[in-house]
Amino acid sequence: MPENIEFTPLATSDPLDDEQPITTSTSTTTRNPTPHSPKNNSLAAQIERLGDMAISGLGPVLIALAFLLLSVTIFCFYSVFLPFHHPWNEGDGISGNLGYIFHWIWATYLVWGILANYYLAVRTPAGSVLDGVSSSGDAMFQDVLGEMESYTAIPPTCKRCHLPKPERAHHCSVCQKCVLRYDHHCPWIHNCVGHFNHRYFLMFLTYLPIACVYFVIMGAGPFMLAADASIDSIWPYWLDRSLVAFSEVLAVAIGVAVGGMGIWHWYLTLTAQTTLEQYNNAYMKKICKKRGETFTNMYDFGIIGNFQDVFNIGPRGHYPWYTALLPIRIPPIGNGKRYERSGRGYVLDFGEDDEDMV
């Protein structure tokens, strides 16, 4: 993006009755490329469309693969890893098998957290502009604008789906629609990560690395036993030792990859940013620094406030704090078309360069 783009600090709190509406764009017309424009028929655009089709078609396959790998590792834990460390002794009763019971409860809680949040991330729509709108034509636009409750003089319009675009919404070329508080499209859940399923995606990225660390620690002994291919070694389990070794290696790989992604998304969550917004904010911070100004994220309410917003808990939410630890369906705050703002922020008008990123 060019660095000579003009922007001004705008008050982002709701205006009083006697104040003028906040203007977030200086553009008076919406430039929508025609379906036959060179931009849409370029080689890069065609490659992008093929990539989007491949990602969309690959989604169900990746979901099936994820459930298969999760099932293998879960079955391996309960049939090999847990009995290896804490075999159940029939004659000792509950008091003599407390270790087994504790690890069984803890492992079951982790499994519940992984599977429930993954299922909810897959099955919960991320949120679109037309959610809750049943009319069509001009009435549909009025309904959308009414839900946005926008204080903009000229509401922004998506150049691809030609609908009013709420704040923090962006167009997903894979789903072919604007997604509320769009973060990114994840092929592993065959869905976008947005306003209504962000909590579940984040918790899946939290439960899975924790479970991988626990799995690797519990599986170290069985893995060494399975790796011992000497004639004298005895394998006391009916599950093949190669599958046990594969599960241990898989847990290490997934724990590192998903753990790193989880740390990144927790940083974004606690700073009130999406993946897309983080890149835009980093650009604006650089411009502000050159001008001797301080950039402020208009949606940032501090670490505690941002945590409460995402999980809909505490004074800012509607649910008790302990629900953040439960992998259950809890709706987010608001309808995703308008967000509370913390103070002052910057709004950029890129004109023709204002393209949605995927």
Side-chain angles (χ1 to χ4, degrees), residues 99-142:
Y100 181 96
I101 295 173
F102 170 79
H103 284 276
W104 188 93
I105 294 175
W106 171 243
T108 303
Y109 170 72
L110 292 177
V111 170
W112 177 33
I114 293 171
L115 296 181
N117 282 296
Y118 186 69
Y119 174 82
L120 291 172
V122 171
R123 297 294 299 171
T124 304
S128 68
V129 176
L130 297 180
D131 286 348
V133 178
S134 58
S135 53
S136 60
D138 293 338
M140 177 185 67
F141 276 81
Q142 294 298 326

Side-chain angles (χ1 to χ4, degrees), residues 177-191:
K177 63 181 179 181
C178 279
V179 176
L180 303 179
R181 197 162 65 94
Y182 175 80
D183 189 277
H184 70 286
H185 184 93
C186 178
W188 283 97
I189 65 174
H190 192 44
N191 196 2

Side-chain angles (χ1 to χ4, degrees), residues 11-216:
T12 57
S13 57
D14 295 348
L16 300 177
D17 295 337
D18 57 346
E19 292 181 343
Q20 295 296 321
I22 295 175
T23 301
T24 59
S25 173
T26 59
S27 173
T28 57
T29 59
T30 302
R31 303 178 182 91
N32 295 320
T34 60
H36 301 289
S37 64
K39 186 175 182 179
N40 285 349
N41 292 328
S42 64
L43 178 60
Q46 294 179 14
I47 294 176
E48 179 185 353
R49 285 194 291 267
L50 290 176
D52 293 338
M53 293 173 59
I55 292 175
S56 179
L58 192 62
V61 178
L62 293 178
I63 291 177
L65 178 62
F67 271 110
L68 176 62
L69 295 178
L70 288 173
S71 299
V72 169
T73 53
I74 292 171
F75 185 75
C76 182
F77 175 85
Y78 284 106
S79 61
V80 177
F81 291 6
L82 183 56
F84 178 87
H85 291 280
H86 302 281
W88 181 267
N89 299 315
E90 294 289 346
D92 294 340
I94 295 178
S95 60
N97 293 281
L98 292 179
Y100 181 96
I101 295 173
F102 170 79
H103 284 276
W104 188 93
I105 294 175
W106 171 243
T108 303
Y109 170 72
L110 292 177
V111 170
W112 177 33
I114 293 171
L115 296 181
N117 282 296
Y118 186 69
Y119 174 82
L120 291 172
V122 171
R123 297 294 299 171
T124 304
S128 68
V129 176
L130 297 180
D131 286 348
V133 178
S134 58
S135 53
S136 60
D138 293 338
M140 177 185 67
F141 276 81
Q142 294 298 326
D143 289 346
V144 174
L145 293 177
E147 284 195 335
M148 288 170 60
E149 301 178 13
S150 179
Y151 284 90
T152 57
I154 301 176
T157 302
C158 178
K159 297 180 180 181
R160 300 189 181 187
C161 57
H162 312 304
L163 290 173
K165 183 160 61 173
E167 55 183 324
R168 310 188 78 177
H170 290 276
H171 191 91
C172 175
S173 60
V174 179
C175 298
Q176 298 182 0
K177 63 181 179 181
C178 279
V179 176
L180 303 179
R181 197 162 65 94
Y182 175 80
D183 189 277
H184 70 286
H185 184 93
C186 178
W188 283 97
I189 65 174
H190 192 44
N191 196 2
C192 283
V193 177
H195 178 68
F196 289 101
N197 67 346
H198 178 253
R199 167 203 174 101
Y200 310 128
F201 180 78
L202 178 65
M203 293 310 296
F204 173 73
L205 297 184
T206 303
Y207 278 98
L208 187 56
I210 294 175
C212 285
V213 173
Y214 175 65
F215 186 91
V216 170

